[in-house]
Amino acid sequence: MNPIAFRILGAPYSKANSRKIVDMKIKGTDRTRSAVIKSKEALAYERDALMQIPGWARQQIAAPVRVTLRIFYASERPDLDESVVLDVLQNRYKGSGENRVLIQRGVYVNDRQVREKHVYHGLDKANPRTEVCVELLQPVQADMLAPDIGTMLK
C-alpha cells in the first residue's frame, strides 16, 4: 500500500490544554455527572479538518500504522499536540452498543492502531497547516528485533 499523504489547513488546537469540565445530565435520571469535553476551538478545528480529508484517503485501514505529522503553527506559542489530528483521522460513529452507527469513514478505523508516530513542529505564519502521512506497518518477526531476553539475563 502506498502512503496516504495530504494537507489539513489551519493549526490544531491543543486537546490537553483546552479541555472544559461540564455537568451532564445522566440519561433517564434527574442526576448529573461531571464530564471533560473538548473546547469550542478544538471542536471547530475537528469540524474544519474533517471536511478537508480527501475521499480517496478515507480507506478505513484496520491494521497497525505509522503516522508522520508536520504541524506548522503561526507562532511559537502553541504546544505541539497531535492528539486532535489523530482523532480526526479515525472513523466517526454515533450512538453506542447495538445502536452504534458509522457516520464518517476515516483514514484508519481507530487511533489505537497508531503504533509509531513522528510529530514535527514548524512555523509558517501565513499558512498554518498539518501535513499528514499515514503508512501501513509491515509485520516484523519478533526474533529478528532483539536477542532472546533469557540469554541476556544470564
Side-chain angles (χ1 to χ4, degrees):
M1 181 182 110
N2 291 329
I4 298 169
F6 57 94
R7 183 175 291 133
I8 298 172
L9 301 178
Y13 247 78
S14 170
K15 227 169 77 168
N17 293 339
S18 63
R19 295 257 185 198
K20 293 169 68 174
I21 298 173
V22 296
D23 288 329
M24 298 182 75
K25 185 172 172 28
I26 299 173
K27 192 187 278 188
T29 71
D30 291 331
R31 299 182 340 194
T32 61
R33 68 174 180 88
S34 293
V36 180
I37 62 170
K38 295 174 188 165
S39 69
K40 288 179 185 174
E41 294 86 359
L43 291 170
Y45 174 81
E46 277 190 350
R47 182 193 65 238
D48 295 344
L50 282 166
M51 290 188 289
Q52 296 180 56
I53 299 173
W56 59 264
R58 297 177 180 275
Q59 297 184 21
Q60 295 182 287
I61 299 168
V65 295
R66 170 189 307 117
V67 176
T68 302
L69 301 173
R70 288 180 172 78
I71 303 174
F72 292 85
Y73 293 98
S75 73
E76 288 280 2
R77 195 157 193 265
D79 290 342
L80 179 61
D81 184 357
E82 77 282 1
S83 58
V84 72
V85 179
L86 296 175
D87 283 352
V88 164
L89 298 177
Q90 67 186 345
N91 279 353
R92 296 276 178 179
Y93 297 92
K94 187 171 187 166
S96 60
E98 292 179 14
N99 298 325
R100 188 174 184 207
V101 177
L102 177 69
I103 58 171
Q104 191 167 47
R105 292 179 11 208
V107 176
Y108 43 74
V109 174
N110 191 297
D111 61 2
R112 285 188 296 251
Q113 294 166 235
V114 177
R115 302 295 164 83
E116 184 178 318
K117 329 184 244 195
H118 302 272
V119 184
Y120 303 93
H121 184 291
L123 290 175
D124 189 338
K125 189 173 188 173
N127 187 23
R129 66 192 180 279
T130 301
E131 295 174 355
V132 177
C133 182
V134 178
E135 300 170 90
L136 192 61
L137 279 177
Q138 299 301 319
V140 178
Q141 286 181 289
D143 61 348
M144 294 179 71
L145 293 176
D148 180 34
I149 298 290
T151 60
M152 292 174 58
L153 296 174
K154 290 181 182 179

